[in-house]
Amino acid sequence: MSILVTGGAGFIGSNFVLDWLAQTDEPVINLDLLTYAGNLENLASLEGDARHRFVHGSIADRALVQRLLAEHRPRAVLNFAAESHVDRSLHGPGAFIQTNVLGTYELLEAVRGHWAALPASERAAFRFLHVSTDEVYGSLKPGAPAFTEQHPYQPNSPYSASKAASDHLVRAWHHSYGLPVLTTNCSNNYGPYHFPEKLIPLMIVNALAGKPLPVYGDGQQIRDWLYVQDHCSAIRRVLAAGQVGEVYNVGGWNEKPNLDIVHTVCALLDELRPRADGHSYKAQITHVQDRPGHDRRYAIDASKIERELGWRPAETFESGIRKTVQWYLAHPDWVAHVQSGSYREWLSQHYGDGATAGATPATAATPATAMQAQGST
Ligand code: NAD
Ligand code: DAU
């Protein structure tokens, strides 16, 4: 048995793969396009681990996905792959439509064909789990009840609209074709391997570099924050016990304004790595122009997943954010490689110069290197 994970070199996907293989020996086939957000260094600890097989390619490449499904016959496909940054979607929505909408469509079609041809027992056990976001529900007024799974879809950014479209495709593939799908809609994650263009890692990295901490507008926008390993445990739980066709909201019961988050990060850094001049990192906070169309508040009602599947987050915000700041302080090389861009050379450094999408790496024949890259052509 094995599972196929897409987007497993990104922030949440790589945490998921690491967690999965820490808990089970069931192999993971990891299909990732390695966009700017994909970082194989996140998975360096799996080098030489035969349970992890990395494949460089896109979910939009139907033929590649069909080949992987036929070759590995995974019992489940977990779709983490996406363009995920709201700010980038405002500057260039095209990539979001390509991957989140058209890519999900191609993936669903490849999976549907494979699933339909499976013997009855394998077909019954098969699952397609789609990882989505609370942003599809739009923005809440102060005091309004948190998003339940019944909340209408009201996406406001190109990113959230593209994720909403993908959720609708997944839903339709279940209702029209019977594909056994599960969907999770999660709030803001934070933790290790978070790309430092998102709020929390950006604040840590900029603070340490003596740079401004850019808070959009008044900083009173509210998000619900969940430690990434809690998101991973929720996904494992939904995969194991979720009802086919159901949607599960996942959140941390932890609404906070952005400015509070930034103050917390500064306070932790003041304690763990004080500035040389004795001043607080808060002095670096700068209010900058707001994000266009910025959603004011998200809040997740995660009672369904708790009631039906017995899942609750293990971390409080206080424990999770401390672990996160400590992780960034302990991994300056990871940060430096992201900042210099050298993390993008990981594939060629570890698999030979020809290792681009479609190339078979020089090391693929070495049994010790189970983290193989294989091609789409
Ligand atoms: P990320 O941007 O860190 O990682 C995305 C990964 O997908 C990268 O490794 C990238 O290379 C890969 N990818 C992009 N396009 C691809 C394609 N066409 N084919 C294959 N791989 C491709 O994103 P993340 O924060 O890890 O989010 C993962 C998923 O979880 C996304 O679907 C996102 O919408 C969802 N989500 C994220 C959050 C959050 O707070 N980060 C919260 C809720 C839901
Ligand atoms: O809610 C779930 C979503 O959370 C996921 O679907 C997205 O993939 C993920 O990127 C995240 O989206 P956000 O837009 O909420 O994340 P981001 O870290 O970009 O911003 C968090 C909040 O902080 C948001 O209100 C914007 C604000 N912000 C962000 C940055 C990068 C700032 O004030 N300053 C900044 O520099």
Side-chain angles (χ1 to χ4, degrees):
M1 294 221 288
S2 63
I3 60 167
L4 172 61
V5 164
T6 74
F11 162 49
I12 303 173
S14 62
N15 274 285
F16 181 84
V17 170
L18 292 169
D19 261 23
W20 180 268
L21 292 175
Q23 317 226 359
T24 163
D25 284 333
E26 186 175 2
V28 176
I29 300 106
N30 181 354
L31 173 64
D32 196 297
L33 187 57
L34 297 181
T35 66
Y36 77 94
N39 186 347
L40 280 179
E41 225 174 306
N42 300 0
L43 300 165
S45 62
L46 296 178
E47 223 174 330
D49 190 328
R51 300 171 303 164
H52 179 237
R53 184 179 177 105
F54 180 74
V55 180
H56 186 194
S58 175
I59 57 168
D61 185 343
R62 196 189 299 188
L64 170 62
V65 177
Q66 283 169 335
R67 232 173 39 233
L68 292 174
L69 293 169
E71 185 185 342
H72 298 284
R73 296 176 78 89
R75 68 175 173 97
V77 172
L78 286 78
N79 185 30
F80 293 86
E83 289 291 338
S84 73
H85 192 184
V86 174
D87 291 330
R88 283 182 187 253
S89 82
L90 296 166
H91 293 292
F96 290 71
I97 305 305
Q98 285 302 326
T99 283
N100 300 358
V101 186
L102 297 172
T104 303
Y105 158 68
E106 294 293 349
L107 181 66
L108 281 167
E109 278 297 81
V111 171
R112 178 167 76 92
H114 170 76
W115 166 78
L118 287 173
S121 62
E122 277 183 64
R123 201 165 60 237
F126 188 87
R127 296 288 182 271
F128 180 93
L129 191 152
H130 181 61
V131 179
S132 194
T133 170
D134 61 358
E135 300 208 10
V136 297
Y137 298 126
S139 189
L140 285 169
K141 298 251 180 299
F147 301 130
T148 66
E149 290 79 1
Q150 279 71 48
H151 199 278
Y153 270 39
Q154 293 171 331
N156 291 319
S157 72
Y159 163 67
S160 53
S162 68
K163 288 297 289 185
S166 70
D167 292 8
H168 290 320
L169 292 176
V170 170
R171 176 188 161 89
W173 260 239
H174 173 64
H175 282 268
S176 299
Y177 305 117
L179 191 70
V181 307
L182 299 157
T183 299
T184 54
N185 291 87
C186 188
S187 59
N188 283 61
N189 286 212
Y190 66 98
Y193 305 116
H194 205 178
F195 199 78
E197 65 179 15
K198 304 280 177 86
L199 180 73
I200 289 178
L202 181 76
M203 294 300 149
I204 298 171
V205 166
N206 274 13
L208 293 171
K211 292 182 179 169
L213 308 181
V215 171
Y216 296 164
D218 62 4
Q220 293 308 313
Q221 306 85 357
I222 291 173
R223 298 288 181 270
D224 171 87
W225 293 92
L226 181 70
Y227 191 62
V228 64
Q229 281 167 8
D230 279 326
H231 189 188
C232 296
S233 73
I235 290 170
R236 283 199 306 273
R237 186 72 195 129
V238 171
L239 180 65
Q243 288 293 312
V244 164
E246 288 294 314
V247 172
Y248 297 92
N249 281 355
V250 182
W253 301 104
N254 179 48
E255 282 185 61
K256 289 198 187 298
N258 292 338
L259 200 54
D260 284 17
I261 299 287
V262 178
H263 283 162
T264 302
V265 167
C266 289
L268 280 165
L269 287 172
D270 288 342
E271 174 195 331
L272 299 169
R273 183 71 58 83
R275 271 175 37 156
D277 64 5
H279 291 296
S280 169
Y281 287 98
K282 285 181 191 160
Q284 291 166 232
I285 293 173
T286 319
H287 288 265
V288 300
Q289 195 180 1
D290 209 348
R291 173 186 277 174
H294 200 169
D295 285 338
R296 200 67 186 163
R297 175 179 167 234
Y298 304 141
I300 275 278
D301 180 339
S303 48
K304 176 178 172 182
I305 189 172
E306 179 171 357
R307 191 175 59 248
E308 296 186 7
L309 305 182
W311 176 88
R312 261 192 87 83
E315 298 290 344
T316 62
F317 185 69
E318 288 64 34
S319 64
I321 192 70
R322 180 173 283 274
K323 281 185 183 176
T324 304
V325 171
Q326 284 170 332
W327 187 88
Y328 280 88
L329 289 173
H331 292 84
D333 289 350
W334 183 91
V335 173
H337 295 166
V338 170
Q339 286 178 324
S340 71
S342 67
Y343 74 105
R344 304 208 66 181
E345 289 153 27
W346 185 269
L347 191 64
S348 56
Q349 280 168 0
H350 288 253
Y351 302 108
D353 287 340
T356 56
T360 304
T363 50
T366 311
T369 310
M371 203 171 77
Q372 296 172 3
Q374 74 175 36
S376 58
T377 56

